[in-house]
Amino acid sequence: MAHGDITVNLFVWRQTGVNDKNPGIKSYPNLKINTHMSFLEMLDVLNAHIIENKDQYPEGPVAFEHDCREGICGACSLVINGRPHGPMKGTTTCQLHMRHFNEGDNIYIEPFKAQAFPVIKDLVVDRSSFDKIIQAGGYVSVNTGGAPDGNAIPVAQDISADAFDAAACIGCGACVAACPNAAAMLFTSAKVSHLAVLPQGKAEAAKRVKRMVFQMDKEGFGMCSNIGACEAECPKEISLDYIARMNREYIASTFTTTD
């Protein structure tokens, strides 16, 4: 691995918006960076370089999304050298560091590309389709009265652990970007599963899975063909087992009269 200062060549997707008829890759050669930087800090350096040399780069700074920069929110979604979030397993883009790259490396940076994730600008995509799936049923709405005591509803340790594993999904969209069908099954199944296994979620289980799957299809996501790229690229390593659970929940829901 490289240490200290290195020079890399960046190839970045530039697009002015959803109606841009001529988007494409723009090269930024010989960018000097430090290997202690995170990947997003490297993009900050790139933008400073573009601003300082605005005559050479009239397209202006690269738009990219971020928030917490702590691997929690999932906003930092990028495809780096063909892999969502980059080459490191179980790592978000903001937690990827430049020490994993070497002197003279060519680094290709693109947005998550899917029909349901239209590009807003450059590396920023509209992932509100995920929000719509959650709004369709990813919650508990039954009236439970006042807040119960934390131990009032006993939950077995293995069930609570299963729910926590599913709830670890940060909704970044890497599963969609990795899937050749642009399927959102891993995301949707994680959001269905973390409620389906808990007693608080049982009352609305059939209605929830029907509505969320319907909304997923409505948003234009593709179908799952069990390739497994979604699990391999998920920064939270969400299991394919949740897709199987969602399928079981969906089949069971067809035998109910719930809308």
Side-chain angles (χ1 to χ4, degrees):
M1 294 300 177
H3 297 282
D5 290 335
I6 60 173
T7 300
V8 295
N9 305 305
L10 302 184
F11 299 84
V12 184
W13 184 266
R14 303 305 306 262
Q15 183 171 343
T16 58
V18 293
N19 297 318
D20 189 345
K21 302 300 183 183
N22 191 34
I25 296 289
K26 170 75 175 180
S27 64
Y28 300 94
N30 302 317
L31 182 70
K32 187 173 183 179
I33 53 96
N34 190 280
T35 55
H36 294 292
M37 294 177 180
S38 71
F39 200 87
L40 295 189
E41 288 172 332
M42 181 274 293
L43 289 180
D44 291 334
V45 171
L46 169 62
N47 278 341
H49 174 70
I50 291 173
I51 292 170
E52 290 170 1
N53 298 274
K54 59 183 179 181
D55 292 337
Q56 184 180 355
Y57 303 112
E59 67 275 11
V62 177
F64 64 95
E65 194 171 5
H66 63 89
D67 191 359
C68 70
R69 297 201 180 199
E70 295 178 352
I72 297 171
C73 71
C76 58
S77 306
L78 299 175
V79 175
I80 302 165
N81 287 347
R83 296 187 60 180
H85 291 297
M88 306 305 295
K89 186 175 176 61
T91 304
T92 54
T93 298
C94 63
Q95 294 300 296
L96 175 65
H97 285 77
M98 298 310 296
R99 62 178 175 270
H100 299 295
F101 297 89
N102 295 291
E103 174 68 28
D105 275 357
N106 294 330
I107 305 175
Y108 289 81
I109 311 168
E110 300 171 84
F112 285 1
K113 295 178 182 177
Q115 177 183 335
F117 289 167
V119 175
I120 297 173
K121 185 177 181 182
D122 296 336
L123 305 176
V124 180
V125 300
D126 181 357
R127 289 174 293 168
S128 61
S129 52
F130 271 10
D131 297 330
K132 293 174 184 176
I133 294 173
I134 295 295
Q135 291 164 5
Y139 51 82
V140 174
S141 65
V142 293
N143 185 4
T144 58
D149 181 85
N151 297 319
I153 303 177
V155 180
Q157 184 176 2
D158 59 335
I159 294 176
S160 64
D162 195 9
F164 272 117
D165 287 344
C169 170
I170 56 177
C172 66
C175 51
V176 176
C179 178
N181 307 323
M185 291 285 281
L186 193 66
F187 163 79
T188 307
S189 66
K191 298 307 180 183
V192 166
S193 295
H194 92 266
L195 293 174
V197 300
L198 295 173
Q200 295 92 334
K202 296 293 185 183
E204 298 173 290
K207 181 186 296 185
R208 175 183 303 111
V209 70
K210 280 185 178 180
R211 290 182 174 179
M212 293 181 75
V213 169
F214 174 80
Q215 190 66 40
M216 176 185 69
D217 293 340
K218 183 180 178 181
E219 294 301 319
F221 292 105
M223 296 299 294
C224 175
S225 51
N226 293 314
I227 292 174
C230 54
E231 180 183 42
E233 300 295 354
C234 174
K236 298 301 178 181
E237 302 181 90
I238 303 297
S239 172
L240 284 174
D241 292 344
Y242 293 117
I243 296 179
R245 172 178 282 126
M246 185 178 75
N247 288 336
R248 293 194 298 269
E249 291 280 330
Y250 187 80
I251 293 170
S253 74
T254 63
F255 294 100
T256 72
T257 57
T258 307
D259 61 1

